[in-house]
Amino acid sequence: MSWPGAAEVIMGRVGDDREPNDQLYCARTRLLSLTGSGLPMSRQELADRVNVYLYGSSRQEIASGVDAKYIGKLERGVYRWPNELYRQAFRHVLKVSTDGEIGFYVARPQRKQLVMVSSPGIDGGYSSNIMSMSNAEMMNAPDGTDWPMWFAMKLAHAISIIHNLTGEHTETLQTLLHQEILMFDASAPSGARFVFDTSRRQALITLATLPLSFGIPRGGSDVGATEMFLAHCGASLTACWHLLKGSDLETVDRLLNGYLMQLELVARKPSKYQGTAARLASQGHRVSGIIALHRNHLRAREHHCNQAVKYAELTNDIPSQVSALISLASTYFYESDPVRAAHTYERALIFDAGMSPLQRSRTRAELSVVYGQLGQERQTLESAELAEALFPDQPEHDPSYLYAEFTRASLTLEQGLAFAALAQRCPTRGYQQTAADVFSRIEQASPSAVPARIKYEIINHQASTAVLLGDMDAFAGYLHQGVEGALLLGSKQRRKEIHTAWRLAADTWPNEPRLKALGQDVIPTLTAD
C-alpha cells in the first residue's frame, strides 16, 4: 500500500563498510589543548571551537549539531562529508586548506535502488512512480538516517534555539536559524531530491506556523507570552524568507496574515520590546509587499512598503530602514516611475556609512536601472560598476543576507536591466548585446543558488532583449520558459513581463507568420485561469 508522500524502498539496503578517519584524528591531536595541560586537543574542545566559528563567541548555551559525539562519529568514519559550512569551520580550526587534509571526501556512490514515490495526481488522487535512486541520494542523510528523520532532528534543534532566544534576542535568533537553514541546503543530495525537498519544505512550514501554533498574546500584560510570541515571529519570518525562494507565495501569505496584525500592535505600543517588534513588523510588510507584487497589486505593495518604512523608523536600525526604503523604491520601478524610484534610492544612500556591503551593492545596482531608464548613461555605468565592486565574495555571511533579498542572481538581474534600459535610450551604442551577455550569466549558475522568482524574471527580460537583438528563435525559447515559470509561481507580475515582451515583439515583427503561430501556441496558455 502506498501512502501520500511516502517512499518505499523495493530493494534491500546496501551494507556499510566504514574506515576510521585517521587524518582528522591526527589533525586534532597535533594541536594542544587550550587548558595548558600539554595534552592534545580533546573532541569537546574541537567541537567548541567549531561552534565559535559557526555561531560567534558570544552565543549562549544553545544545543548544537557539533559536539564531542559528532566529532567521534567523524573520526570513526560514520560521516565522511559534512555540509559545506561545517567543512569550512573544521578547515579553519584545524589550520588546513583543503578537505582532503582532514579526510573529508564524498563517499563512493552506492548501487541504485528502485524506489516507489507517491505524489499528488492531477485528478486529486495520488499516483505512484518507480524511480531509480542510490541509498545516498534517496535514504541517507549525513548522519546515516533517512531525510525525514534528519529534518525532524534538525527541527528539534531549531526549536531549542528559539526557546533560548526570546524577546529582545530575536535578531540573534534569526541569524542562527538562517545559518541552520543554509546548513540544510548545503547537505542536499546532488542527485534526486524529492524526499529532501519535501522534508525541507515541511520543516520550514512548521517553523513558519509557530506564532499560530503556540497562540498570540492578548493585552500584552504577560511578559513571558510576549517574549515567546516575538521569538516565534522571528522564526516564522526567517522560514518565510526561505520559502519565498521557491514557489510558496500563497502558503507564506496565509501564514503571515495569521499574526502580522498582532505583531503590529506590539510594535506600536511603547515598551522594551517595541524596537524588536517593529523590526519584525517591517520585515512582515516587506514579505507581504513581495506577494502583492506577484499578484500585480502595486497599490497594495506600495502600502506594505510604506508600512515597512514606518516600522523600520521606530527601530533606529539602519539595515531595516535601508531594506524598507529599497523595497519602496523598487515599487516605483515596477510602477514605471523612475523619478520617484531614483529619489527613494537616494534617500537610502543617506545611510550609506551604516549599510552592510550587500545593501550598498543592492542600492547601487537598482539605482543603475532607474538611471538607465532616465537616460543618464554615465551615472548608470558608474552605479553598475560600483555595485559589482561592492558585492561581497561571501554574501551569505553579510549580516543583512536573510532579508536583503539580494543574491548574485539578483545582481545579474539588475545589471542586465540597467544595460537593457540603456539599449532603449541609446539604441546605437551596443547595449543590447551587453544586456544579453549579462543575463546569460544565470545559465552558468547553480540552480539551487537562484530563487525561482529571480530566475523567471531574468528569463522574461532575456525574451525582451532577444527582440532588441532581432533574434526570433531566442525570443521564442525564452517566451516558452517564461510562461512555464509564470504558471509555476502563479505570478501575475511574471505574466505581465511576458506580455510586455510579446508586445515589443509584435511591434518589431508585425507581419511575421512565425510570431503569429507562436502567439496562438503560447498566449492562450498564459491567459487561461
Side-chain angles (χ1 to χ4, degrees), residues 9 42 86 100 185 251 338 349 385 388 421 477:
V9 178
S42 69
Y86 278 19
D185 298 342
T251 300
L349 287 178
E385 182 179 358
E388 178 71 39

Side-chain angles (χ1 to χ4, degrees), residues 11 17 25 42 62 68 108 129-130 148 152 188 209 215 245 276 278 304 310 313 323 363 369 381 395 414 472 510:
M11 296 176 64
D17 184 16
Y25 172 81
S42 69
I62 300 170
R108 182 179 299 171
N129 300 291
I130 302 296
T209 61
K245 295 178 182 178
T276 297
H304 284 298
K310 181 184 79 171
E313 288 173 345
S323 293
T363 307
V369 179
L381 298 176
E414 302 302 336
M472 182 175 290

Side-chain angles (χ1 to χ4, degrees), residues 27 30 90-99 101-102:
R30 74 166 176 257
F90 277 105
R91 291 195 305 269
H92 173 80
V93 173
L94 296 173
K95 300 178 173 33
V96 299
S97 57
T98 66
D99 293 323
E101 293 176 75
I102 47 177

